[in-house]
């Protein structure tokens, strides 16, 4: 490996979706391309495709009396992938104003005691995190404001900053669904028609633009080395 290669910026892009033809997977692939264009060497982690089991088990259960506990080989391999990355980007659908179980289980098992937290000097210090959450809510739905606040508290404050990341950003991407749904002021569910044709193309072109702008803004906020 050359000096240039060893000095290259690295990113871990994590996909949490069960379908490769999903908008989530599409957004993750575009994010990978955007990061590579920006000069990053990207490690793409498709949790479902790689068969990651989000369920906690005895081997990976935290031992509060031993922060040096050797976790399973699978978890240790994932830990190394995080350590090798300067930037971590999680791309996922928003479920119940949170992340899907697949991504939550990855954090439960891999971002474990003694590694991601439980030390005076965090092992993840200096790394940066971007959360790209795809939401079915429409961009003009008032629920998106509260959803953004909940995600920022949970993901940035409760996870990334707690684990020592130097920067964490949450980008909520609404309008992910073809058929808009929302509750009106009286609590009635309003279900719109599925978009099609030119309208559909325009909706997802705008979706891609907003996703790309979120990644661009995240990268632009990267601190410049002295």
């Amino acid at each position: 490996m050359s000096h240039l290669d060893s000095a290259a910026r690295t990113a871990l892009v994590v996909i949490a979706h069960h379908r490769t033809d999903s908008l989530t997977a599409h957004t993750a692939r575009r994010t990978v391309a955007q990061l590579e264009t920006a000069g990053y060497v990207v490690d793409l982690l498709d949790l479902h495709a790689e068969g990651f089991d989000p369920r906690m088990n005895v081997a990976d259960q935290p031992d509060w009396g031993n922060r040096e506990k050797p976790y399973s080989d699978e978890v240790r391999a994932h830990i190394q992938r995080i350590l090798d990355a300067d930037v971590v980007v999680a791309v996922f659908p928003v479920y119940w104003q949170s992340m899907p179980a697949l991504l939550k289980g990855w954090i439960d098992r891999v971002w474990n005691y003694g590694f991601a937290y439980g030390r005076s000097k965090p092992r993840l210090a200096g790394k940066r995190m971007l959360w790209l959450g795809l939401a079915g809510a429409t961009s003009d739905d008032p629920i998106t404001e509260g959803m953004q606040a909940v995600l920022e508290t949970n993901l940035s404050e409760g996870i990334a900053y707690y684990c020592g990341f130097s920067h964490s950003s949450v980008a909520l991407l609404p309008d992910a669904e073809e058929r808009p749904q929302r509750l009106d002021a009286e609590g009635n569910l309003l279900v719109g028609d599925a978009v099609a044709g030119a309208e559909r193309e325009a909706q997802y072109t705008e979706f891609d633009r907003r996703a790309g702008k979120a990644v661009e803004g995240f990268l632009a906020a990267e601190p410049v080395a002295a």
Side-chain angles (χ1 to χ4, degrees), residues 27 62 89 113 132 138 148 174 186 189 212 222:
T27 302
V89 181
Y113 180 64
L132 287 176
T138 58
Q148 176 77 35
E186 286 72 42
L189 177 62
E222 184 176 28

Side-chain angles (χ1 to χ4, degrees), residues 8 15 17 21-22 62 66 69 81 86 96 104-105 120 128 143 159-160 215:
I15 309 174
H17 202 285
D21 64 346
S22 64
N66 177 23
K69 174 182 177 177
R81 292 171 80 170
D86 300 312
W96 298 110
K104 178 62 162 59
S120 297
R128 305 174 72 249
I143 197 175
I159 299 176
V215 175

Side-chain angles (χ1 to χ4, degrees), residues 73-134:
D73 290 343
E74 180 185 25
V75 162
R76 282 186 286 178
H78 280 266
I79 285 173
Q80 191 57 54
R81 292 171 80 170
I82 297 171
L83 289 174
D84 288 343
D86 300 312
V87 165
V88 179
V89 181
V91 189
F92 59 97
V94 176
Y95 291 169
W96 298 110
Q97 302 204 38
S98 185
M99 67 184 85
L102 183 60
L103 181 57
K104 178 62 162 59
W106 181 68
I107 291 173
D108 288 346
R109 286 185 61 201
V110 179
W111 296 39
N112 216 325
Y113 180 64
F115 163 58
Y117 64 98
R119 295 181 182 275
S120 297
K121 184 177 181 181
R123 298 185 69 188
L124 300 178
K127 298 183 184 296
R128 305 174 72 249
M129 182 86 204
L130 174 61
W131 310 85
L132 287 176
L134 285 71

Side-chain angles (χ1 to χ4, degrees), residues 4-57:
L4 179 61
D5 292 333
S6 63
R9 294 175 296 177
T10 55
L12 175 65
V13 175
V14 185
I15 309 174
H17 202 285
H18 54 283
R19 290 199 342 258
T20 58
D21 64 346
S22 64
L23 184 60
T24 300
H26 164 81
T27 302
R29 289 190 293 267
R30 286 180 58 88
T31 299
V32 168
Q34 191 171 354
L35 287 165
E36 289 177 339
T37 299
Y40 282 83
V41 174
V42 179
D43 176 11
L44 179 61
L45 169 54
D46 186 328
L47 291 172
H48 187 269
E50 294 194 17
F52 183 81
D53 187 348
R55 296 173 298 178
M56 180 56 76
N57 54 53

